[in-house]
Amino acid sequence: MPSSYQPPTRKDQDKNRTHSQSETTNLKSGNALVSDLMDRKGGDIFSIRPTETLGKAVEVLRDKRIGALVVTDAAGSLVGILSERDIVRKLADTPGKTLPQSVEDVMTREVQTCGRDEPLLSVLKRMTEGRFRHMPVVQDGRLSGMLTIGDVIQYRLNELEHEALQLKQLIVG
C-alpha cells in the first residue's frame, strides 16, 4: 500500500452531510410570539358592559359568530370575560330565568390575559391547563385583541404546512 493512501473515515463524510433538522429548525415554532399571530389576525375586540343582560350578550355572540366577550367598564378597562360556557352553566342553574340576568352576575372576574411578547406555546399551555378557550391580549395596560385556542392551532397548522412545502421543494429541487 502506498504511504500516501489513507482509508476514508466517518469524519471525511461529515462535510457532505446535510442537516435538514436541527434544534433551531425544530424549535422554530416554539419561538412564535402572540404578536406574530395577532399581526395576521387583527385586533378586533367585542365587548359588553357588566350591566347588560345575558340576552343582549347572547345576541352579540350570535351576530358576531364568536364564543366570548370581554366585559369592560365605561373607561374600557377589563373587568371580566363572558363565554358561551358561562351562559350554558347559568342556563342549567336557572332555566327560563337566565336571559334577563346581568352579565356581571355570570362573568368570570379573574381573567387570564397575555401580552404580545409572550410565546404562543406558553399561552397554549395556560389555556389548556386552565381549560379555557379565549384569552384577552393586553399591551401597555390596554386591551389589544382576543386570542382563541383555535387561532393558535390554526397558526401552528399553517406553519407546519409551510414547513412541509419547504421540505418538498428541497427534496424535489
Side-chain angles (χ1 to χ4, degrees):
M1 190 179 305
S3 62
S4 63
Y5 174 79
Q6 291 186 2
T9 65
R10 283 187 185 177
K11 197 172 195 174
D12 295 337
Q13 295 172 355
D14 282 349
K15 61 185 169 198
N16 296 326
R17 190 176 291 174
T18 62
H19 299 280
S20 62
Q21 291 191 18
S22 67
E23 187 174 306
T24 304
T25 60
N26 285 339
L27 296 177
K28 181 180 172 194
S29 64
N31 296 333
L33 302 176
V34 170
S35 60
D36 297 328
L37 190 152
M38 295 307 295
D39 290 345
R40 288 186 190 177
K41 177 184 176 180
D44 289 343
I45 304 171
F46 299 104
S47 64
I48 195 163
R49 298 279 182 259
T51 54
E52 291 284 351
T53 65
L54 290 180
K56 174 68 175 169
V58 168
E59 288 175 8
V60 175
L61 291 170
R62 178 199 63 205
D63 294 346
K64 300 298 183 186
R65 300 175 55 114
I66 55 175
L69 291 165
V70 290
V71 184
T72 57
D73 61 17
S77 297
L78 180 67
V79 294
I81 191 167
L82 180 71
S83 70
E84 292 169 324
R85 264 191 209 165
D86 295 329
I87 296 168
V88 168
R89 285 188 189 112
K90 197 60 165 179
L91 281 167
D93 293 343
T94 59
K97 302 174 186 172
T98 305
L99 295 181
Q101 294 184 44
S102 69
V103 167
E104 63 191 338
D105 293 335
V106 182
M107 70 183 189
T108 300
R109 293 176 187 276
E110 292 182 25
V111 183
Q112 291 269 336
T113 64
C114 63
R116 289 180 55 88
D117 59 347
E118 192 168 338
L120 272 179
L121 288 179
S122 167
V123 172
L124 183 60
K125 184 177 179 183
R126 287 200 293 146
M127 292 173 92
T128 303
E129 289 173 354
R131 298 182 52 89
F132 53 89
R133 298 175 292 194
H134 301 85
M135 186 180 284
V137 180
V138 177
Q139 181 179 1
D140 301 324
R142 301 200 48 83
L143 283 170
S144 68
M146 175 76 86
L147 191 66
T148 70
I149 202 158
D151 295 332
V152 178
I153 291 169
Q154 184 63 46
Y155 183 86
R156 181 62 183 129
L157 286 174
N158 288 342
E159 277 189 331
L160 288 171
E161 189 175 311
H162 181 70
E163 288 171 17
L165 182 61
Q166 285 181 322
L167 285 173
K168 186 177 179 181
Q169 289 173 341
L170 183 67
I171 293 167
V172 174

